[in-house]
Amino acid sequence: MDDLVFSLNATMPVFLLMVFGMILRRLRVIDDVFASCMNAFVFHVALPVLLFGDISSIDFGTGWDGRFVAACFAITLASIAIVWMLSFAIRKKGLRGEFIQSAYRSSAALLGVALMQNMYGSSEMAALMIVGAVPLYNIVAVVALTAMKPEGKQDDARTLVKRSLRGIVANPIIAGIAAGFVFALSGLPMPPIAQSLIGSIGGLATPLGLIAMGAMFDLRRAAGQIGPAAAASLIKLVGLAALFLPVAVACGFRGEELATIAVMLGSPTTVSCFVMARSFGHEGVLSSTATMLTTLGSAFTLTGILFILRTLAIV
């Protein structure tokens, strides 16, 4: 019972914020425009600032765990390869890009920080996981969405490469991570005023992002593309975790490291999938449906995963 309570205390506050967003939407305190603006603010400002703050504070002499970062990168790369191969089972090529990113791309940056803070009072491992996984998340998403456009919207090879590179360079999350790396490696001290400002802006990422995610949850959209979306959701919530968590355990990861990998694998599909899908010329129906299904389902699956790991006394 104590293990179940621990797991629920780690996950439920996060998902209750999503429910709060849904309630605010029902009460018409938040509408589509406001939710979209909140999501855009989190994606373009708050989350990059949060990631910059987390990574810039890493002491590469004592706080850097290269083995853990490499493991997150390798697991993410293997997950992408598996999902990419599975995408060829979808007949419509225009849906494959959305399927790929929906099946592997977690809300790990947002939920990882929130869950690790709830569980351990620290987000250091979450920051290292972000370094290993999130740049790859975004780079592959740009490539997949650019390469697998709906019929009639395909680019030639040269345009494809240029658009992919432009999307990678312009991604604000990647920019925040890169800036954090540069500052951390510089060894310069963070001025107290800047540290306070970064903390205040970055602190908005988790609550606003979760509330916006809940407010954008619309069951009426879930009817479209339910088959591929359900398959992507099952892979995202259960398949990848079932495949790679035993590997992580066999590699010797325990405690906060293993819990962070579990969150990376079992977190719901990020809302950014829908935003990016639309910006790259896709309908976004599959992305939004997968986001809704995984957001709802992860309250149970992620809690269950953490409960099992906690019962086995390895987190």
Side-chain angles (χ1 to χ4, degrees):
M1 182 58 70
D2 289 341
D3 294 331
L4 179 59
V5 171
F6 175 88
S7 302
L8 289 173
N9 285 337
T11 57
M12 292 314 295
V14 173
F15 297 107
L16 286 175
L17 271 175
M18 298 182 193
V19 173
F20 182 56
M22 295 175 68
I23 293 172
L24 291 178
R25 171 69 182 273
R26 294 278 296 186
L27 294 175
R28 297 186 179 181
V29 176
I30 296 177
D31 58 12
D32 284 334
V33 175
F34 188 69
S36 297
C37 288
M38 274 204 301
N39 187 63
F41 171 77
V42 171
F43 182 71
H44 290 283
V45 181
L47 189 52
V49 170
L50 175 66
L51 298 178
F52 170 81
D54 285 338
I55 294 171
S56 65
S57 63
I58 295 175
D59 184 346
F60 285 93
T62 59
W64 178 255
D65 187 342
R67 178 172 174 268
F68 177 72
V69 173
C72 291
F73 179 88
I75 289 172
T76 301
L77 187 61
S79 301
I80 291 169
I82 291 170
V83 170
W84 198 294
M85 288 187 291
L86 291 175
S87 72
F88 289 101
I90 299 176
R91 293 183 179 181
K92 291 185 178 181
K93 183 180 178 181
L95 296 179
R96 293 175 187 171
E98 290 194 61
F99 174 86
I100 290 169
Q101 68 157 355
S102 297
Y104 80 81
R105 195 173 171 206
S106 296
S107 302
L110 188 62
L111 292 182
V113 172
L115 288 173
M116 289 306 102
Q117 287 176 341
N118 281 347
M119 294 174 68
Y120 297 99
S122 167
S123 60
E124 183 176 327
M125 285 297 106
L128 293 177
M129 175 269 290
I130 288 166
V131 172
V134 172
L136 194 56
Y137 281 169
N138 289 275
I139 290 170
V140 174
V142 171
V143 174
L145 291 172
T146 305
M148 300 182 178
K149 283 189 171 184
E151 293 183 8
K153 296 184 179 181
Q154 289 91 347
D155 297 320
D156 56 50
R158 186 174 180 179
T159 303
L160 177 67
V161 172
K162 290 175 63 177
R163 184 174 173 85
S164 297
L165 291 174
R166 186 167 59 248
I168 292 168
V169 172
N171 191 289
I173 295 177
I174 296 177
I177 293 171
F181 258 121
V182 171
F183 190 89
L185 291 171
S186 73
L188 296 173
M190 180 72 72
I193 294 177
Q195 190 172 6
S196 177
L197 181 61
I198 290 170
S200 297
I201 297 174
L204 297 173
T206 298
L208 288 185
L210 294 172
I211 290 171
M213 190 181 295
M216 296 173 74
F217 193 97
D218 187 350
L219 288 174
R220 290 174 297 181
R221 295 178 181 174
Q225 309 297 344
I226 191 64
S233 300
L234 185 62
I235 294 169
K236 183 71 213 64
L237 295 180
V238 180
L240 297 179
L243 186 61
F244 290 109
L245 277 178
V247 176
V249 172
C251 291
F253 292 108
R254 298 290 188 276
E256 188 175 351
E257 290 180 337
L258 184 60
T260 304
I261 292 173
V263 170
M264 178 185 75
L265 291 168
S267 292
T269 301
T270 176
V271 174
S272 300
C273 284
F274 173 75
V275 177
M276 284 188 64
R278 294 288 295 178
S279 67
F280 279 82
H282 295 257
E283 291 182 355
V285 175
L286 193 157
S287 298
S288 62
T289 304
T291 300
M292 295 170 195
L293 291 175
T294 54
T295 299
L296 181 62
S298 62
F300 305 97
T301 57
L302 189 54
T303 299
I305 290 170
L306 293 175
F307 172 65
I308 292 171
L309 297 179
R310 182 71 173 176
T311 302
L312 296 174
I314 52 179
V315 298

